[in-house]
Amino acid sequence: MDSNHNFYIETPQSYNKLCDKKKEELNDALFPLNGNILKNFFSNKSEIKVICDDQPDIRVEFIESNTNKTIGLEMVKCYLDSRGFKNKNYRNRPQINNALKDICEAAFQTLEKDNEMAFLMQKAKRIQAIFHHEIITNGFNRCKQVKNEIAKEFVMQLRKCLMNQIQCPGRYIQKIQISETGYMPANLCDRVEILSDMMSIVLPIDSMQFDPIALKVKQKREKLHGYKKMNKNQDVTEWWLGISIPHDAYLKVRGYKFPLSANLESFENNGTLIAEKYDRIFLIDRVYDLVIPIYQKEKM
């Protein structure tokens, strides 16, 4: 993995034996930790360890000015909250996404046997298959014929993409695009992501009720007091929150701003002020390779 810092990654067991949830948390956490956005923060730190844990999900331990310090990093996924929307097309369809991913991954494996394509695919750190939104939301016939049609279309579009040829929208897939930057998963098949050609933009709505990101911050802050009281967390000097926007959330967060009514200094739960605050909060958009800082506590 390309990195601006010298991290030592520590897991309770081998990476391959971690559950999928812990793998995703670790990979999402490493994205901002390895990035330019924290380059200055880690520039004067030494012996940096990134440790898989639970409550917090990730511990980042390091030495600064001959002093041991620890960051507690909580990770959470954010999907569009559909409670305020009647239109079913706003809702996420993870089962459909997973079925399409399985088809594309199987097709991707056949391409690896083609020497020319295997060579071209070396530059593709991530492969994004952008499907028509009605396929993502309404599904498709799971019969063998349709699966074969989708696989064939995926291979054809990917081949054109890698060879810089013009792609025409197919029956199922709008287009394929590749990313040559960012983190490359160890498993080649994990490079395939399923996207929609109609992503929902998280608008700067001045409402806690309809802002999915503000709601996630509120939910995690409600739990922070309990984390801080744990004996194992008494050495934590800062608490950070990473809000991951998964590729199957179909959300665009570029330019996101917190709603004014969701003042981070005065969140309430049933009328009671939530005193605990995270020191830093990041949005981690794995679709567009973005890390967006949305909050940093002022130093006293």
Side-chain angles (χ1 to χ4, degrees), residues 27-232:
N27 290 337
D28 285 347
L30 287 172
F31 193 63
L33 292 176
N34 276 320
N36 288 325
I37 203 162
L38 291 172
K39 186 176 183 179
N40 290 337
F41 178 86
F42 285 112
S43 62
N44 62 340
K45 314 295 192 288
S46 61
E47 298 184 31
I48 307 169
K49 290 183 181 179
V50 179
I51 305 168
C52 277
D53 198 9
D54 191 28
Q55 297 180 349
D57 298 312
I58 305 289
R59 293 171 65 89
V60 184
E61 299 179 355
F62 53 87
I63 295 176
E64 180 182 29
S65 301
N66 297 319
T67 303
N68 294 323
K69 293 192 176 182
T70 301
I71 293 169
L73 174 57
E74 273 289 289
M75 301 298 299
V76 64
K77 287 184 177 183
C78 183
Y79 291 92
L80 187 64
D81 190 328
S82 63
R83 288 176 299 173
F85 300 101
K86 295 181 180 179
N87 187 341
K88 67 179 180 180
N89 289 340
Y90 280 101
R91 300 176 189 161
N92 182 48
R93 292 288 187 274
Q95 296 87 354
I96 297 173
N97 186 287
N98 291 339
L100 292 171
K101 185 175 174 67
D102 288 343
I103 294 170
C104 292
E105 284 182 352
F108 179 71
Q109 288 178 318
T110 64
L111 279 176
E112 291 183 298
K113 299 174 184 178
D114 183 321
N115 291 335
E116 181 186 14
M117 293 303 296
F119 176 77
L120 290 172
M121 284 190 291
Q122 290 178 5
K123 66 179 181 179
K125 292 191 174 181
R126 296 223 310 264
I127 298 167
Q128 299 171 335
I130 303 175
F131 281 79
H132 297 301
H133 196 65
E134 57 268 25
I135 302 295
I136 293 290
T137 54
N138 298 328
F140 59 95
N141 190 321
R142 306 293 178 92
C143 70
K144 185 176 180 179
Q145 178 183 344
V146 172
K147 289 181 178 180
N148 288 340
E149 289 174 359
I150 294 173
K152 184 177 180 180
E153 196 168 288
F154 173 80
V155 169
M156 179 183 67
Q157 298 277 47
L158 178 58
R159 188 181 296 274
K160 287 183 177 180
C161 178
L162 291 170
M163 299 181 74
N164 294 318
Q165 297 177 354
I166 295 175
Q167 298 181 64
C168 297
R171 180 178 179 184
Y172 306 97
I173 300 174
Q174 172 73 16
K175 66 177 179 178
I176 301 284
Q177 59 190 28
I178 61 172
S179 172
E180 298 182 21
T181 61
Y183 168 68
M184 178 186 285
N187 186 341
L188 292 177
C189 287
D190 287 341
R191 286 192 277 172
V192 179
E193 295 178 350
I194 306 301
L195 303 180
S196 163
D197 64 355
M198 191 179 78
M199 307 286 276
S200 298
I201 298 174
V202 180
L203 298 173
I205 304 171
D206 188 22
S207 169
M208 277 289 296
Q209 182 180 0
F210 295 113
D211 188 304
I213 295 167
L215 283 170
K216 282 297 178 187
V217 174
K218 182 175 184 290
Q219 291 166 7
K220 296 302 291 187
R221 278 189 58 181
E222 289 169 355
K223 298 179 180 180
L224 185 55
H225 180 66
Y227 297 162
K228 288 186 173 182
K229 289 173 61 178
M230 295 179 179
N231 289 333
K232 74 183 186 75

